């Protein structure tokens, strides 16, 4: 059965603002007041794009990704963010978005689609593994104090 929800490329200020509720679920440390400026800068300067799934005027799931080249992964699309509002989970939106990004990667002759997820995010890990992702690295960070 075809989904009644469609994927939309998020581009305008209004559309970016409509992503806030989903982004906040995944990234509660973000500041609502800086949201639009941050995303706009990322889109302009860092090749960041958002594919969103809409329910009317409401973004209920989105994937934020960027086209990049790295020495460790090659010529890739990196998924920074993938999240669905809690009340819309279980509808296959993550899989739909992963497939969408994969189709973009194929159309651009990329070598892979790459992402990171938290060690304890077992639900997301199951979705990624079910969708053909493999465990290939451990991501480490060292937060710098301000």
């Amino acid at each position: 059965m075809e989904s009644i929800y469609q994927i939309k490329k998020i581009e305008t200020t209004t559309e970016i603002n409509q992503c806030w509720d989903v982004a906040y679920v995944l990234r509660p440390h973000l500041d609502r007041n800086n949201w639009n400026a941050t995303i706009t800068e990322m889109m302009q300067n860092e090749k960041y794009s958002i594919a969103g799934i809409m329910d009317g005027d409401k973004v209920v799931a989105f994937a934020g990704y960027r086209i990049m080249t790295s020495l460790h992964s090659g010529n890739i699309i990196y998924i920074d963010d993938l999240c669905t509002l809690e009340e819309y989970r279980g509808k296959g939106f993550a899989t739909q978005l992963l497939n969408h990004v994969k189709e973009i990667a194929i159309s651009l002759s990329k070598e892979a689609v790459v992402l990171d997820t938290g060690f304890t995010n077992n639900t997301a890990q199951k979705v990624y593994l079910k969708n053909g992702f493999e465990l290939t690295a451990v991501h480490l960070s060292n937060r710098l104090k301000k």
Side-chain angles (χ1 to χ4, degrees):
M1 182 174 159
E2 189 70 24
S3 173
I4 61 168
Y5 302 96
Q6 299 299 314
I7 296 176
K8 174 180 180 47
K9 184 172 184 178
I10 303 297
E11 299 178 287
T12 69
T13 300
T14 299
E15 293 166 344
I16 292 168
N17 284 329
Q18 290 169 334
C19 292
W20 170 253
D21 290 340
V22 180
Y24 190 72
V25 170
L26 184 63
R27 312 276 185 226
H29 64 279
L30 295 176
D31 180 355
R32 175 71 176 108
N33 295 322
N34 296 329
W35 170 250
N36 200 292
T38 299
I39 295 301
T40 300
E41 180 181 334
M42 289 169 64
M43 287 177 163
Q44 291 173 350
N45 299 327
E46 300 175 23
K47 299 180 185 176
Y48 185 79
S49 297
I50 298 175
I53 296 181
M54 310 290 293
D55 184 2
D57 289 340
K58 181 178 186 177
V59 175
V60 298
F62 79 78
Y65 60 93
R66 62 185 82 223
I67 297 167
M68 61 187 287
T69 302
S70 70
L71 296 178
H72 64 78
S73 296
N75 192 6
I76 64 168
I77 291 184
Y78 181 82
I79 298 175
D80 292 75
D81 313 293
L82 180 64
C83 190
T84 302
L85 289 176
E86 299 225 11
E87 61 269 27
Y88 287 85
R89 291 184 180 165
K91 297 180 182 288
F93 291 164
T95 294
Q96 195 175 343
L97 287 164
L98 290 169
N99 287 336
H100 179 75
V101 173
K102 184 178 177 184
E103 289 170 12
I104 293 169
I106 290 168
S107 75
L108 296 174
S109 300
K110 300 300 172 191
E111 296 171 38
V113 175
V114 178
L115 57 79
D116 291 315
T117 190
F119 279 118
T120 60
N121 194 346
N122 300 109
T123 302
Q125 291 167 18
K126 287 177 187 174
V127 170
Y128 302 142
L129 293 169
K130 184 180 96 179
N131 281 281
F133 286 80
E134 299 173 348
L135 299 171
T136 59
V138 173
H139 179 90
L140 303 171
S141 67
N142 186 340
R143 289 272 181 208
L144 303 176
K145 301 205 188 264
K146 291 185 178 184

